[in-house]
Amino acid sequence: MAAPAGDARGPVEGSIRERVPPLLTDLYQFTMAYAHWRAGRHREPAVFELFFRDNPFCGGFSVFAGLHDCLLFLRGFRLSERELDFLRSVLPPSTHPDFFDFLRDLDCSDVSVRSVPEGSVVFARVPLMEVSGPLAMVQLLETSLLCLVNYASLVCSNAARFRLAAGPSRKLLEMGLRRAQGPDGGLSASRYSYIGGFDLTSNVQAGLLFGIPVAGTMAHSFVTSFSSLEQAQPQTLAAASGEPDPVDFVSLSKGWLGRVRELLGAEAWKSHEGELAAFLSYAVAFPRSFLPVIDSYSVTCSGLPNFCAVAAALCELGYQPVGVRLDSGDLCRQSVEVRRVFRLCSQQFSMAPFLSLVIVGSNNISEHSMRELSHKESEIDTVGVGTHLVTCTEQPSLGCVYKLVEVRGLPRMKISEDPEKSTVPGRKRVHRLVDDEGHVFLDLLSLEAEPAPEPGRPLTCFPLGLDGGAVTVTPAQVTCLRQEVFSRGQVTQPPCSSAETRARVQDSLRSLHPRHKRLQEPDSYTVALSLQLHSLAGELRGASACNNNFLFASSPE
């Protein structure tokens, strides 16, 4: 069913685009950069953090993705003359011409990035990326970085949930290109679905770019385009052993159809001749990868007996048919019947290959139907998922944000009437705490200057989102969650392939306690502030309240 992408030397991974252009951003990034430049503040050192506020899909976790494309974007950031000319046309005429000279020389040679490794399980409010550098420069990066991370992480998280719903053994095929949000969305969906835990894609371009195994068979239109056996061409097929004289494959399959009909009874005598012709033509074209869709008319009356006849003829000639695809109706019930017939044919016709035939199911599969499929009696080996995977039907956006936390070494904090929109100030370290059983249980945010927590030593922290104050925890292990990935215009960590990042996702998921990765009503994972960081946030919040009171008291009536 699947053919690996790439040539004999293996695929060479590429970016979805060779270059994400600097103008793939919001206009206000350039208006703010200009205002900073006019104020002489554009070179002030600043730090931004990228994070999301709520775990997606009402779940207990997300998966961080998109870092590879972010690093390629940073490495290649330069404005062309054409892009500068366009900016001149959209910025106000009063914009000083020297500003465009500043933009012409702009690159990321003074930008540094610390990041959670791509493919890591992550949680709400944890800073995934820290971007530091000259104020105007790192401000300009905001929209592009969010664009590259938001959808990648969302669809990767969605794929990881589908994998959990399907279980570890069932194969998953991403087939959502025709439903995706444009070509870029389709390629992103294929890449990050694979990273999130899918095994295969129908997207040929994704196979070329990212080395994802590709798979595909036929659509109903191929089957319904045939109406009679005369249309089955060519009508002969050489044996797999390489014998010179080809066999009349149509007559051979018709003979087997008679035996299958006798075995299966009256219903099988209603099989559609055009469908049989379609199966014959496809089998002659692909005798070693024969896997048709069998529900164009009726599975039990037509598709299944026609398949068994052609598959038996292939077996007689020394080929191994692959299996069938079901695309409508009650997939679980049909798959059980299909498997029963396969076993019956194997026994009655002494054909062992029928025991290894696979059954693929694809019928508007959602996470909910995937869970149902996993809990019902079913014989489906591979599930094809399209619309609900690539469009993330249950939640169309992750909602990552990019917030300023430090300027000139001084902490900055957004204070909102909505507590969820307030930010945590200052440059930080992020540590992940592990319990005695090897499960992660808490992510600790602390100030850059604070010492790291130590295994076996109790520490006091303040969980976000709880009003109960401080808690004391004792980790068995402590890991530093972020690492430097970009410095002085260069990527400082070797890029991982999609397959390597995919493996990291599964390793990271295994570190989660089952209660945190339940697909329904999971327990909340704890993200907490250190004592010093909690105190700093309180001080800044208090100072802001005093300033607001002063402004109110001194304002005219």
Side-chain angles (χ1 to χ4, degrees), residues 202-226:
S202 66
N203 187 337
V204 180
Q205 182 71 4
L208 170 67
L209 289 177
F210 312 124
I212 305 171
V214 295
T217 61
M218 65 168 69
H220 295 106
S221 58
F222 182 84
V223 177
T224 57
S225 71
F226 291 80

Side-chain angles (χ1 to χ4, degrees), residues 188 321 385 442:
S188 293
V385 189
L442 185 146

